Amino acid sequence: MKIEQVKIDKLIPYARNSRTHSDAQVAQIAASIKEFGFTNPVLIDETGSIIAGHGRVMAARKLAIADVPSIRLTHLTEAQKKAYVIADNKLALNAGWDNEMLALELAEIGELGFDLELIGFDPSEFNNTAVDYSVLDGEDIEAELDGMASGVRKAIQIEFEPEHYEEAQALVKFWRENKAYVGMMVINHLRNEKNKL
């Protein structure tokens, strides 16, 4: 496999791509390309149809990049192409973080004067303070939340229908055990759904 420069107008987005990219996320990718260069080639088939890299192509358009580094995957069957469109995104999502190591790296990068938002993290994700759930016991939750210190993570109540409650509880437990920031996962999903309106 070799990297070739392909005219961006020759690249064809996969019409049934199930991965979504909000304007904010495309802007993040564009900022990353400006900072680091186009380090991750787009994967295409022999016709120029995109298999992986839709977000990078959208960011390249935003930056008015005419030629995009690409790799042609001519050995894949139609079924493999369809599967890899999903696998390329899903497999990366299945990875976790070593939060202690991440905190050390982010602190050192920040000390070197690097803009941490270029890495793709929301600044609120750098806050490793404990979560205060006691506010949920109060009668006036909103007033108590507003009165809490700004550096403390806050919990909100989300209602579920009875048939969804056990699955929601299990999913939250799973992601907390895998050191994920569940609050940001919820925000990202709700933001993406809002962007579809």
Side-chain angles (χ1 to χ4, degrees), residues 32-192:
S32 175
I33 291 172
K34 282 180 70 175
E35 179 69 25
F36 305 113
F38 210 123
T39 60
N40 194 0
V42 176
L43 304 182
I44 59 177
D45 70 7
E46 58 277 2
T47 69
S49 293
I50 301 172
I51 298 171
H54 288 83
R56 296 191 290 281
V57 171
M58 294 167 73
R61 289 188 190 282
K62 187 178 183 72
L63 295 170
I65 295 174
D67 300 296
V68 175
S70 306
I71 297 175
R72 290 188 193 272
L73 303 181
T74 58
H75 64 287
L76 298 180
T77 66
E78 286 303 311
Q80 287 176 322
K81 290 179 201 176
K82 287 176 175 289
Y84 195 73
V85 168
I86 297 170
D88 181 64
N89 291 294
K90 179 57 178 166
L91 293 176
L93 290 176
N94 289 344
W97 291 101
D98 180 329
N99 284 350
E100 289 184 19
M101 190 64 69
L102 177 63
L104 287 172
E105 283 293 285
L106 292 175
E108 188 170 316
I109 293 168
E111 288 170 7
L112 293 171
F114 194 84
D115 182 357
L116 293 176
E117 290 193 44
L118 287 171
I119 300 174
F121 281 91
D122 184 281
S124 66
E125 294 180 81
F126 306 144
N127 181 0
N128 290 321
T129 56
V131 180
D132 184 351
Y133 291 100
S134 63
V135 68
L136 296 177
D137 299 328
E139 292 183 5
D140 191 350
I141 292 174
E142 294 300 324
E144 291 194 47
L145 283 173
D146 291 340
M148 289 172 67
S150 60
V152 177
R153 286 191 178 183
K154 303 171 185 177
I156 62 171
Q157 196 170 11
I158 300 176
E159 296 78 26
F160 295 93
E161 295 296 335
E163 63 267 28
H164 300 141
Y165 178 75
E166 286 187 11
E167 182 182 10
Q169 195 174 38
L171 286 168
V172 169
K173 181 175 185 243
F174 170 83
W175 285 113
R176 281 190 180 146
E177 287 175 349
N178 283 277
K179 312 292 187 193
Y181 179 15
V182 177
M184 185 53 63
M185 293 171 73
V186 172
I187 288 171
N188 285 336
H189 177 73
L190 294 177
R191 184 186 294 134
N192 287 338

